[in-house]
Amino acid sequence: MPKEGIDWANLGFGFSEVNCHIRYVWRDGKWSEGEFVKKPEITMHIGASCLHYGQECFEGMKAFRQKDGRIVVFRPEENAKRMARTAERCVMPAIPVDMFVDAVDKVVRANEEYVPPYGTGGSLYIRPLLIGTGPQIGVAPAKEFTFMVIVMPVGAYYKGGLKPVRAVILDDWDRAAPNGMGDVKVGGNYAASLYAHEKAKREGWPVELYLDAKTHQYVEEFSTSNFLGITKDGTYVTPDSHSVLPSITNLSLMQCAEDLGWKVERRPIPYTEIKEFAEVAACGTAVVVTPVWEITRGDDVIVISDKDAVGEHLQKLYETVQGIQYGVIEDVHGWCHEVPL
Ligand code: PLP
Ligand code: COI
């Protein structure tokens, strides 16, 4: 049962303390058994590779309390596979898919009372984290790693639920090089975007959009989410690029769009095409589907919709994916993984 005394309907997207997280250590070529740890602090070697050389990666998923009381996690196997790809790119040991999903089940179960009640719009955010904890002063991968899964109840990433936001393109900063790390989920990508992100926020834009680093001609993604556009004839379009994170939300929305009989295109999107879109959104675990009503690049201000208008396609996508997650729309693709309680 949900814990009493939490203002479930007004949760933001931030850290809060729960019962525990689960922790595993990789030593001598194998993972330890998982153990629950109550304290949110971690003690590590001062020479840990995550501290010096950024040898770390993470994931993000959500657990939902459905109407019938079941708790489900949305497509955790996909996050497990993505983390395995990221780990390989960062020369870290992969977490086997079964171990990853089992860790998620265990930590969600141990914090069951922090899964927001059905109907509040909240969810339990699940953040797996893999870091090099062995000392490494010459540049090389560590020999010891720590895998943790932390959880916390969250609400909307941008205040107001399905409320459109404005975005900015800041051409002086790139997020990911063409053959860099943009397609994997490493902390360094977010470190690379922090400066521009804070500048954008200070100047009134909650989110910044990145163009391809080489030519600045093609749309890539937002700092925390993928880009999707809906053309005037109702086609779902999303960038095809090696330096964009393959979003599990985007993958799912593309399937929902196809199921709805819409055309879906994954292809390069020139910046000049943005003004042709009828609807634009950011999509991802944290932001779900967040409509973007305006995009500014220097003196060029592209107004996509009215400030408060949510286009019919985005509304439908939002309702469909949230409906599946909260168990009110049939999960025909088997995306919801039930947590054994
Ligand atoms: N792109 C970036 C840079 C992100 O941080 C995220 C969030 O995880 C996404 C896209 C969306 O991915 P997903 O839908 O798997 O959460
Ligand atoms: C997520 O959507 O899970 C993310 O990881 C975005 C995050 C950086 C806030």
Side-chain angles (χ1 to χ4, degrees):
M1 290 298 284
K3 198 174 165 74
E4 282 180 20
I6 297 181
D7 185 7
W8 297 112
N10 292 306
L11 292 170
F13 192 95
F15 184 84
S16 58
E17 275 195 36
V18 294
N19 296 334
C20 60
H21 65 271
I22 193 163
R23 194 182 290 186
Y24 302 74
V25 179
W26 171 271
R27 260 189 221 113
D28 304 325
K30 60 177 191 305
W31 286 110
S32 65
E33 291 294 311
E35 64 167 324
F36 290 118
V37 181
K38 282 193 174 16
K39 277 174 41 174
E41 291 84 18
I42 171 166
T43 301
M44 71 173 89
H45 197 288
I46 192 75
S49 69
C50 67
L51 298 177
H52 297 261
Y53 302 124
Q55 199 182 23
E56 81 87 44
C57 66
F58 69 98
E59 268 304 328
M61 268 157 302
K62 281 175 174 169
F64 302 88
R65 194 182 293 273
Q66 299 195 332
K67 212 171 187 169
D68 60 5
R70 297 188 315 145
I71 294 176
V72 304
V73 179
F74 193 66
R75 309 192 76 176
E77 301 84 2
E78 291 300 320
N79 293 82
K81 288 190 264 173
R82 190 170 66 188
M83 189 170 232
R85 281 201 309 274
T86 307
E88 186 185 3
R89 179 71 173 82
C90 302
V91 199
M92 299 201 267
I95 318 293
V97 173
D98 288 354
M99 173 181 150
F100 182 101
V101 176
D102 186 53
V104 167
D105 280 346
K106 285 184 169 134
V107 73
V108 172
R109 189 165 56 228
N111 292 285
E112 179 273 327
E113 66 265 44
Y114 289 96
V115 183
Y118 173 79
T120 58
S123 55
L124 188 76
Y125 185 64
I126 306 167
R127 170 60 64 86
L129 186 64
L130 172 59
I131 58 178
T133 36
Q136 203 59 56
I137 293 302
V139 178
K143 294 186 181 64
E144 182 196 293
F145 297 86
T146 302
F147 173 59
M148 288 162 283
V149 187
I150 68 172
V151 296
M152 68 216 72
V154 297
Y157 195 76
Y158 301 114
K159 279 199 182 75
L162 192 57
K163 193 170 173 303
V165 296
R166 56 204 291 259
V168 66
I169 295 170
L170 297 168
D171 278 290
D172 286 347
W173 296 277
D174 293 319
R175 176 182 172 274
N179 293 322
M181 308 279 271
D183 61 338
V184 291
K185 205 161 168 65
V186 296
N189 291 339
Y190 302 83
S193 72
L194 267 183
Y195 186 86
H197 192 60
E198 287 305 293
K199 179 177 165 63
K201 270 203 308 202
R202 260 194 324 272
E203 296 176 6
W205 291 281
V207 63
E208 76 279 13
L209 175 63
Y210 289 90
L211 302 180
D212 75 288
K214 191 170 177 187
T215 71
H216 279 213
Q217 285 184 30
Y218 292 93
V219 176
E220 295 243 293
E221 65 174 329
F222 299 97
S223 51
T224 54
S225 46
N226 272 185
F227 176 100
L228 76 91
I230 306 285
T231 63
K232 295 203 171 81
D233 65 1
T235 300
Y236 182 120
V237 189
T238 195
D240 186 19
S241 160
H242 279 312
S243 37
V244 160
L245 188 74
S247 154
I248 294 152
T249 312
N250 198 0
L251 191 71
S252 311
L253 293 174
M254 284 191 266
Q255 183 64 59
C256 293
E258 276 178 7
D259 294 348
L260 288 161
W262 308 350
K263 227 172 112 193
V264 173
E265 291 175 1
R266 191 180 210 150
R267 59 165 171 79
I269 302 179
Y271 166 75
T272 49
E273 191 182 344
I274 297 179
K275 62 179 183 313
E276 307 296 334
F277 287 124
E279 301 170 51
V280 167
C283 69
T285 298
V287 305
V288 194
V289 177
T290 296
V292 176
W293 71 274
E294 183 196 85
I295 298 176
T296 298
R297 182 185 189 190
D299 294 334
D300 197 14
V301 179
I302 305 171
V303 178
I304 293 146
S305 71
D306 284 348
K307 198 164 175 286
D308 295 313
V310 179
E312 57 169 328
H313 291 83
L314 298 180
Q315 180 80 38
K316 186 76 188 162
L317 288 172
Y318 179 83
E319 282 168 10
T320 306
V321 72
Q322 289 271 94
I324 294 169
Q325 292 168 335
Y326 285 111
V328 293
I329 291 180
E330 194 190 347
D331 177 19
V332 288
H333 299 288
W335 288 338
C336 293
H337 164 87
E338 183 172 354
V339 176
L341 292 176

